[in-house]
C-alpha cells in the first residue's frame, strides 16, 4: 500500500500500516514527535490502519491544537480511569462503576457514569489530581480489535456497555482502547500515551442525563471537562466563562429591572418592566426612523388568524410541531400567529395593484408565538412570545436586486450601530434531497442566484449552507460575534417566489396583463426579545447614552443643592433626556455608588461652586473606565448630550 505526503510524494508501506509506521518510515525523530495524523482530511491516531492511497499529514508536538479532538477524547478516558481509582480508594470494587457514553465535544468532553454514590462538585479537584497522576505515569494507549462475543465478555456487569455492543453490526470488528489496566469500548482515535496529553484541563461540573436521551431510561451522572493545548488558552476560556456569567442577561435583567418572567403569566412570556420598555422603544424608534427614510409603510395585524390562512401559506403544515394548538371559535379554527408574512400578503391583496405601485414595503413590529419546549426556554433569547421587526417587500423582477441591496445595507447599518462589526454572512439554500420545500425548482434556482449575486456585488464574505433555507425560499442570515467572541444569528433576508403563488397575488403590468410580484422577507433585529438579550450581554448592561433606560443621574452634595439639581433635571427632561435626581439622605459617595450599580452612563455632581457658576462635575462610565470632568458649563454639557443622543454615538 502507499500514502501521499503533503509535498505530493508517495510513501510505500506494508499493508495495514498505521500513521506511526508512516512517521517511522520518514524518520525516527518524526516518529518520536508525532501525536496524530490526518488521512484524507479526517483525524486519525497513530495506531489505526491507514486507507490505501490516503493523503496524510502528521501532527506533531509543534502544533498539538490541530489534534484537539484527540487529546480531549483521550483525557475523557483518563478521567474515567481516575473515577474508577477514586471509588476503589473508597472501598468499591471495579464492578460497582458502570459507564455510558463519553464523547469529546467542543472545548472538552463528557462521560456518563452509574456510580455507587454520586460525585459532588467538591470531589472534582480530587479526580483532577488522580488524572494528573495517570498522565505522569505515561501509560501508552493501545488499540485492539475483538469480536462481539469477546466484547460482551469484557463487560459482564455493565448493562450500558452491553447494550451498546449489542447494537453494533455482527460483521464489523469492535475496537477497544486501553491505558494501564483501564479498558473501554471505543472507536478512537487517541493520543499515543497519557504522558503526551496536555495538563491544561479542568473538570467543570456534573449533571444528570437520561441514558441514551430517553426519559424512560435511568438517569446517569454526567461529568464535564474542558481542555486546551496550552494553559494560556485554558485561562482565557475560563475567563470568558466568568465574564459570560457576569454579563448573563437574565442576571442583569433582574438587577437593572429590565424584564421579568412570571410563572403565573407563563413560561417563555417575558414582561417588560419600565426600564426595559424604554430600551425596547429606543430600538423600535431607531428602526422606524430608518424604515421611514427608506419608504416603508407601517401596518398592524392581529395576534391570531384563521387556520386556513396558515394552511394556504404552508406554515401550518411545515411547522405544526412548533405552533400552539388551534383554537375553535364559532365553528372555525384559529391559531396564535406564528408568522407575520401571511397577514402582510393579505394586506397587499386588499386592493388592486399596478406596476407603478411597486415596490410595496409593509413593516410591522408584529408579535408572534411559537411553542418551545420548557427545557429550551432561556430568558429573552428563547421565548414563546416575541416581537419581530418584520417587513415584507412586494417587488417587480426588475426591482428585486436594488431592493435586496437596500435591505442588506440597512441590516449592516443596524449591526454597526450597536458595535457588532464582526459579521459573517450565511446563504441558506435548498437541500435537493429534502421534501420540506415548496414551489417551483426554477424559481428556487433563480432566487438563490440573485442572493449570491447581491452579496458578491457588495464584496461581503459568505458561506453557502445547503438545507438552511426557509420552506418557501432561500435566505441570507447575518451571524455576528459579540465582545466575548460568541456567535449569534441575528438578522435575516429571504427571497420568496412561492407565497405570491400560494396566495395568487398579482399586479397589473405595463402590458395590461397580470404579473406575479416577488416577496422579500426582512427582519434586521430578528426578534426584539432575542436582540435585546444579546445586547444586554454585549454591553454588559453598560448601554450607550442614547440606549440607556436611565441616562443621567444628578447628585446634589447636600440638601441645599437639591433645588439646583431639580432645575437641571427639568431642563434635561424638557429636551427629552431621561434625567433623575438622587435627593436621598445618603452621602455623596453612596449616591455615586448606587448610580454605578445601576449602570447609569452619566452622573452630574453639584455643590456650592457648581451652583454659583451654573456648572456641573461630570462622571461618566465608558468602555475604557471612568472619565471625570470638573467645572463643565451646564449648557455646554446639555448640548453635548443632545448631540450624542441624536447621533446615537
Amino acid at each position: 500500500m502507499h500514502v501521499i505526503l503533503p509535498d505530493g510524494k508517495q510513501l510505500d508501506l506494508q499493508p495495514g500500516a498505521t500513521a506511526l509506521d508512516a512517521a517511522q518510515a520518514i524518520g525516527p525523530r518524526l516518529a518520536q514527535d508525532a501525536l496524530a495524523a490526518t488521512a484524507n482530511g479526517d483525524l486519525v491516531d497513530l495506531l489505526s490502519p491507514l486507507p490505501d492511497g490516503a493523503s496524510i499529514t502528521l501532527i506533531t508536538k509543534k502544533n498539538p491544537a490541530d489534534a484537539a479532538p484527540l487529546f480531549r477524547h483521550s483525557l475523557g478516558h483518563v478521567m474515567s480511569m481516575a473515577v474508577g481509582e477514586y471509588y476503589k480508594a473508597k472501598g468499591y470494587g471495579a464492578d460497582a462503576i458502570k459507564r455510558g457514553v463519553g464523547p469529546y465535544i467542543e472545548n472538552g468532553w463528557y462521560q456518563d457514569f452509574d456510580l455507587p454514590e454520586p460525585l459532588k462538585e467538591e470531589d472534582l479537584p480530587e479526580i483532577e489530581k488522580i488524572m494528573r497522576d495517570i498522565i505522569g505515569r505515561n501509560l501508552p494507549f493501545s488499540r485492539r480489535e475483538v469480536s462481539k462475543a469477546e466484547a460482551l465478555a469484557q463487560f459482564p456487569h455493565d448493562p450500558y456497555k452491553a447494550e451498546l455492543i449489542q447494537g453494533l453490526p455482527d460483521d464489523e470488528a469492535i475496537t477497544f482502547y486501553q491505558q494501564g489496566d483501564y479498558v473501554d469500548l471505543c472507536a478512537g482515535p487517541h493520543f499515543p500515551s497519557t504522558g503526551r496529553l496536555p495538563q491544561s484541563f479542568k473538570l467543570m461540573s456534573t449533571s444528570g442525563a437520561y441514558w441514551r436521551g430517553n426519559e424512560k431510561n435511568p438517569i446517569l451522572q454526567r461529568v464535564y471537562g474542558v481542555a486546551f493545548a496550552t494553559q494560556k488558552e485554558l485561562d482565557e476560556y475560563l475567563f470568558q466563562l466568568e465574564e459570560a456569567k457576569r454579563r448573563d442577561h437574565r442576571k442583569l435583567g433582574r438587577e437593572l429591572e429590565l424584564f421579568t418572567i412570571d410563572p403565573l403569566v407563563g413560561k417563555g412570556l417575558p414582561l417588560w418592566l419600565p426600564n426595559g420598555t424604554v430600551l425596547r422603544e429606543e430600538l423600535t424608534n431607531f428602526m422606524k426612523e430608518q424604515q421611514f427614510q427608506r419608504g416603508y409603510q407601517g401596518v398592524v395585524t392581529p395576534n391570531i388568524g384563521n387556520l386556513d390562512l396558515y394552511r394556504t401559506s404552508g406554515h401550518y403544515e411545515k411547522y405544526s410541531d412548533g405552533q400552539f394548538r388551534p383554537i375553535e371559535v364559532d365553528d372555525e379554527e384559529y391559531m396564535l400567529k406564528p408568522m407575520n408574512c401571511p397577514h402582510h400578503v393579505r394586506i397587499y391583496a386588499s386592493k388592486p395593484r399596478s406596476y407603478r405601485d411597486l415596490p410595496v414595503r409593509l413593516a410591522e413590529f408584529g408579535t408572534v408565538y411559537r411553542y418551545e419546549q420548557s427545557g429550551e426556554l432561556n430568558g429573552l433569547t428563547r421565548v414563546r412570545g416575541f416581537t419581530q421587526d418584520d417587513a415584507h417587500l412586494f417587488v417587480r423582477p426588475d426591482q428585486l436586486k436594488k431592493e435586496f441591496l437596500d435591505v442588506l445595507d440597512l441590516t449592516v447599518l443596524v449591526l454597526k450601530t450597536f458595535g457588532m462589526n464582526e459579521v459573517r454572512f450565511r446563504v441558506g439554500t435548498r437541500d435537493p434531497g429534502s421534501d420540506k420545500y415548496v414551489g417551483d425548482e426554477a424559481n428556487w434556482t433563480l432566487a438563490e442566484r440573485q442572493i449570491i449575486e447581491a452579496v458578491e456585488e457588495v464584496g461581503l464574505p459568505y458561506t453557502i449552507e445547503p438545507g438552511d433555507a426557509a420552506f418557501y425560499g432561500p435566505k441570507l442570515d447575518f451571524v455576528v460575534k459579540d465582545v466575548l467572541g460568541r456567535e449569534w444569528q441575528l438578522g435575516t433576508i429571504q427571497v420568496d417566489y412561492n407565497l405570491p403563488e400560494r396566495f395568487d397575488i398579482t399586479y397589473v403590468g405595463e402590458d395590461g396583463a397580470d404579473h406575479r410580484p416577488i416577496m422579500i422577507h426582512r427582519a434586521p433585529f430578528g426578534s426584539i426579545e432575542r436582540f435585546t438579550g444579546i445586547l444586554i450581554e454585549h454591553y454588559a448592561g453598560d448601554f450607550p447614552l442614547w440606549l440607556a433606560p436611565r441616562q443621567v443621574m444628578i447628585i446634589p452634595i447636600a440638601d441645599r443643592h437639591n433645588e439646583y439639581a431639580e432645575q437641571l433635571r427639568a431642563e434635561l427632561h424638557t429636551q427629552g433626556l431621561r434625567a433623575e435626581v438622587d435627593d436621598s439622605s445618603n452621602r455623596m459617595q453612596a449616591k455615586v455608588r448606587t448610580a454605578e450599580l445601576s449602570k447609569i452612563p452619566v452622573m452630574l455632581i453639584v455643590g456650592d461652586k457648581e451652583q454659583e457658576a451654573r456648572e456641573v462635575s461630570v462622571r461618566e462610565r465608558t468602555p475604557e473606565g471612568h472619565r471625570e470632568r470638573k467645572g463643565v458649563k451646564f449648557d455646554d454639557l446639555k448640548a453635548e448630550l443632545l448631540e450624542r443622543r441624536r447621533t446615537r454615538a
Side-chain angles (χ1 to χ4, degrees), residues 609-610 613-618 629-634:
K609 183 179 176 182
E610 289 81 9
R614 191 173 160 79
E615 293 177 348
V616 291
S617 290
V618 184
R629 292 178 285 166
K630 297 185 182 298
V632 179
K633 295 293 184 185
F634 176 70

Side-chain angles (χ1 to χ4, degrees), residues 313-430:
S313 70
H315 287 103
Y316 182 66
E317 174 194 355
K318 297 294 181 181
Y319 294 135
S320 57
D321 290 345
Q323 297 168 12
F324 286 95
R325 293 176 182 173
I327 308 161
E328 192 168 317
V329 181
D330 297 334
D331 298 325
E332 291 186 307
E333 289 184 296
Y334 288 80
M335 272 186 62
L336 288 172
K337 179 172 60 173
M339 292 279 191
N340 296 303
C341 36
H343 296 251
H344 291 188
V345 173
R346 299 314 298 161
I347 290 176
Y348 175 91
S350 64
K351 68 176 185 178
R353 307 282 181 173
S354 161
Y355 71 94
R356 293 189 181 91
D357 300 325
L358 273 60
V360 174
R361 308 180 188 94
L362 303 179
E364 175 183 19
F365 286 88
T367 301
V368 297
Y369 301 89
R370 310 274 175 83
Y371 173 70
E372 301 281 0
Q373 295 187 33
S374 297
E376 296 176 338
L377 299 174
N378 181 30
L380 291 179
T381 57
R382 198 75 180 263
V383 293
R384 287 175 171 165
F386 56 92
T387 302
Q388 295 176 308
D389 61 323
D390 225 347
H392 296 91
L393 292 75
F394 300 84
V395 304
R396 305 190 309 259
D398 61 297
Q399 298 169 328
L400 176 61
K401 188 173 184 180
K402 178 180 180 301
E403 291 298 317
F404 189 94
L405 287 171
D406 184 73
V407 171
L408 191 53
D409 178 72
L410 170 61
T411 307
V412 171
L413 170 67
V414 167
L415 298 177
K416 286 186 175 179
T417 298
F418 296 99
M420 296 176 173
N421 298 314
E422 286 194 64
V423 188
R424 65 181 179 89
F425 303 88
R426 192 172 63 199
V427 179
T429 60
R430 181 176 59 159

Side-chain angles (χ1 to χ4, degrees), residues 442-506:
N443 284 340
W444 271 91
T445 301
L446 180 61
E448 289 172 357
R449 187 174 73 243
Q450 288 166 326
I451 289 177
I452 292 170
E453 285 178 358
V455 174
E456 289 180 342
E457 183 167 314
V458 295
L460 298 173
Y462 69 92
T463 58
I464 296 177
E465 304 287 341
D468 205 35
F471 77 89
Y472 49 76
K475 62 178 180 173
L476 177 66
D477 287 334
F478 296 76
V479 182
V480 303
K481 274 189 179 180
D482 65 13
V483 292
L484 295 182
R486 301 172 301 181
E487 287 197 331
W488 302 89
Q489 192 268 303
L490 291 177
T492 188
I493 314 172
Q494 300 166 358
V495 175
D496 180 7
Y497 285 83
N498 292 309
L499 284 189
E501 288 277 354
R502 294 176 77 91
F503 283 98
D504 192 25
I505 58 174
T506 60

